[in-house]
Amino acid sequence: MAAPPPAAPPDNPTGPTSPAAGRRSLSHRWLLVLPFGWQVGLVPVVNDVDIAPLHVPFPMLWQLLGIVVTSIVIAVVFRLDRRAGVDREEAEFLASTGPDGPAGPAGATGPGATR
């Protein structure tokens, strides 16, 4: 039996292919480069520091502070993504694919699939 033809996409003015979605700026995601620069780019500079605050070698302290900086940057990017409407776009995508995903129940092959 042939599968029914796919339904026409809903008329959604804020969908991912709409002109409004093209105007949304996601340039704030470049902030995610900062932790990489912190951890990798500055290693030659940090490795030569001889001070040991609280008897902890400075490169180790630098790495520990990098964890805090990375957490802050990810939180900022998350909030800016929410402000840009990315969570709405994700919810619309999940609602359009349904609970069984894009393949539907016929194409299910996961651990809960029945044959």
Side-chain angles (χ1 to χ4, degrees):
M1 177 181 247
D11 191 20
N12 186 357
T14 60
T17 58
S18 71
R23 289 192 303 253
R24 183 181 66 224
S25 174
L26 297 177
S27 59
H28 60 273
R29 291 187 178 175
W30 281 101
L31 290 172
L32 296 172
V33 173
L34 290 175
F36 180 78
W38 178 284
Q39 297 291 335
V40 176
L42 294 174
V43 166
V45 176
V46 173
N47 208 20
D48 293 335
V49 177
D50 291 331
I51 63 171
L54 302 172
H55 302 289
V56 176
F58 189 75
M60 183 181 288
L61 185 64
W62 183 260
Q63 293 293 315
L64 292 172
L65 289 174
I67 293 170
V68 174
V69 168
T70 300
S71 299
I72 291 169
V73 168
I74 289 173
V76 167
V77 169
F78 177 77
R79 293 209 186 259
L80 291 173
D81 268 351
R82 290 181 104 189
R83 193 174 293 162
V86 173
D87 58 342
R88 246 187 340 266
E89 181 180 321
E90 181 181 359
E92 290 172 3
F93 172 76
L94 291 174
S96 69
T97 56
D100 297 322
T109 58
T114 58
R115 296 228 177 220

